[in-house]
Amino acid sequence: MPQAIVIRELGGPEVLKLEGTTLSPPGPGEVQIRQVAIGVNFIDVYFRTGLYKSAAGLPFIPGKEGAGIVTAVGAGVLNVSVGDRVAYATSDGAYASERNVEASQLIVVPDDVPLETAAAMMLKGMTAQYLLNQTYKVGPGTTLLFHAAAGGVGLIAGQWAKALGATVIGTAGSPEKIALALDHGYDHVIDYRNDDFVARVEEITGGRRVDVVYDSVGKDTFPASLDCLKPRGLFVTFGNSSGPVEGVNLGILAQKGSLYVTRPTLYSYTASRAALEACANSLFDVVRSNKVRININQTYALADAPQAHKDLEERKTSGTTLLIP
C-alpha cells in the first residue's frame, strides 16, 4: 500500500503522520510515479505551521519536490511515458511513496543524473537559477551577499555565482558551515552569530558595499541587509526561515539609497512550460558541467519526516535533505 505523510492539524513537527493511502489511476493530464527520493525544503515548514496556506485545506500531504519512475500515464499525456525518470519542484503532495502528479510539472531527468540528485536539486537549484540569472543578472563585476550560505540554495548559489564571475560573500552560523560555504564558491563567509555582518561587508568591500543581497532568513536579517547595499542596489527576499518581515515603511528604501526590493517565487519564474524547461535545462547543464555539485548531506526515511523538520528548524542541517520512501 502506498504511504504518505499527512498533516491533519497545523503545528510542530509532531503533526507529520505517516499513513497508508489509496491511489486512484492517474486522471487526464496526470502521471503516476513511484518516488525514489523527496526533497525537504523550508517552504514545507511554512505550510506545516500555517504561515503559508495549503490550497487543499486540511488534511493535506506536504512537500513540493521529488523524483521517481513513471508507472502509469493518464489520457492526453504526451511529454512523458511509462518508465521515464522524472523530477519536479512545484507540485504539492511530495511526501509520499507513490503519487499522481500533473504531467505539465514534470521534467525528464538526463540519464547521467541520479534520481536522488534530481530530487535534491530541482527546487533549490531552479531557485538559484532564477535568482542569479533572472531576478538579477549576476556576472563579472557583481558583488553579492547571500544569507544562509550553507543551506541548500546557498551552497548551489555560491558555486553558480562564482562560475558566473561574481565576488561572493555569504553568512553562516557555525565554523563547520563557514568552512562548507568556503568550499562551495564563497570568497568570504561571515559568522552572523558573532560578527556584525553589515560592518564586515563594509570591510570586505572597502566601503563600496554590494550590488544585490539574497535573503531567505527574513526577520532576523532585516533591515540590516539594506545597509549592505550600494545606492540603487537590489534586496531580494525569497524566504522567511526566522519569521516574516512585517510592518515595513517603504520610505526606508529612499533613506538608504533609492534601493529596489523584490519578493520572487519559483512559480512565477516557471509559470509557462517553456520557462520551466529553460530553467530546468539551465540547472542540468551547470550540474553536468561540474561547475555546481549537489550535496546530499542528510537522508531520512519517509517515516522520519518529523525529525527531518526538527533538525531543519534547529539549523542542524546543511546542503540538501532527502526523504527516502
Side-chain angles (χ1 to χ4, degrees):
M1 172 183 285
Q3 293 184 309
I5 296 292
V6 180
I7 294 177
R8 297 189 176 277
E9 60 179 330
L10 303 177
E14 69 280 357
V15 304
L16 299 167
K17 303 291 187 182
L18 184 68
E19 299 183 8
T21 61
T22 57
L23 192 59
S24 302
E30 289 186 335
V31 168
Q32 191 165 105
I33 62 175
R34 174 181 56 80
Q35 302 215 102
V36 170
I38 301 152
V40 177
N41 298 280
F42 225 99
I43 194 172
D44 306 342
V45 174
Y46 303 155
F47 280 101
R48 191 202 75 219
T49 62
L51 178 64
Y52 293 174
K53 305 300 181 186
S54 168
L58 290 170
F60 68 93
I61 297 171
K64 287 184 171 292
E65 177 183 46
I69 308 293
V70 175
T71 56
V73 298
V77 173
L78 301 175
N79 61 311
V80 295
S81 304
V82 171
D84 280 351
R85 304 163 68 252
V86 295
Y88 59 91
T90 57
S91 181
D92 295 335
Y95 285 23
S97 60
E98 301 175 52
R99 65 165 303 192
N100 293 334
V101 61
E102 308 91 335
S104 62
Q105 296 297 312
L106 294 175
I107 296 292
V108 175
V109 178
D111 291 341
D112 55 351
V113 176
L115 284 175
E116 292 83 0
T117 301
M121 76 181 189
M122 295 305 291
L123 193 152
K124 290 170 279 291
M126 289 200 294
T127 296
Q129 196 284 336
Y130 84 72
L131 290 174
L132 301 176
N133 296 279
Q134 300 184 68
T135 304
Y136 185 95
K137 191 72 173 177
V138 171
T142 301
T143 302
L144 66 87
L145 174 65
F146 209 103
H147 289 299
V153 178
L155 290 181
I156 296 172
Q159 298 172 81
W160 204 331
K162 195 62 186 174
L164 291 169
T167 297
V168 194
I169 306 170
T171 65
S174 71
E176 293 78 15
K177 290 186 175 183
I178 289 170
L180 187 61
L182 288 170
D183 191 43
H184 287 77
Y186 287 86
D187 297 291
H188 311 273
V189 183
I190 301 163
D191 182 349
Y192 72 85
R193 293 187 187 275
N194 296 306
D195 294 331
D196 179 339
F197 69 81
V198 175
R200 287 286 293 120
V201 166
E202 286 274 347
E203 179 184 349
I204 290 166
T205 63
R208 293 182 299 275
R209 292 174 283 175
V210 303
D211 300 288
V212 55
V213 173
Y214 295 104
D215 189 353
S216 63
V217 177
K219 181 180 176 182
D220 287 356
T221 48
F222 187 86
S225 288
L226 301 182
D227 294 323
C228 297
L229 286 166
K230 297 175 180 178
R232 299 172 59 189
L234 176 63
F235 177 59
V236 183
T237 171
F238 68 101
N240 321 275
S241 63
S242 68
V245 174
E246 298 176 334
V248 178
N249 175 1
L250 292 180
I252 194 173
L253 301 176
Q255 297 164 15
K256 293 182 180 294
S258 299
L259 304 179
Y260 296 88
V261 62
T262 184
R263 197 343 178 159
T265 67
L266 177 60
Y267 179 80
S268 297
Y269 282 86
T270 57
S272 71
R273 181 68 193 179
L276 174 62
E277 290 182 351
C279 189
N281 288 335
S282 175
L283 172 63
F284 285 136
D285 287 346
V286 78
V287 170
R288 296 166 79 191
S289 72
N290 295 317
K291 293 178 181 177
V292 170
R293 63 187 189 273
I294 304 300
N295 297 82
I296 302 171
N297 289 352
Q298 300 84 209
T299 60
Y300 301 79
L302 181 61
D304 293 330
Q307 187 63 49
H309 273 225
K310 184 173 184 293
D311 291 346
L312 183 65
E313 288 183 276
E314 293 178 355
R315 303 190 182 186
K316 294 180 178 178
T317 65
S318 63
T320 293
T321 299
L322 291 182
L323 300 176
I324 306 298

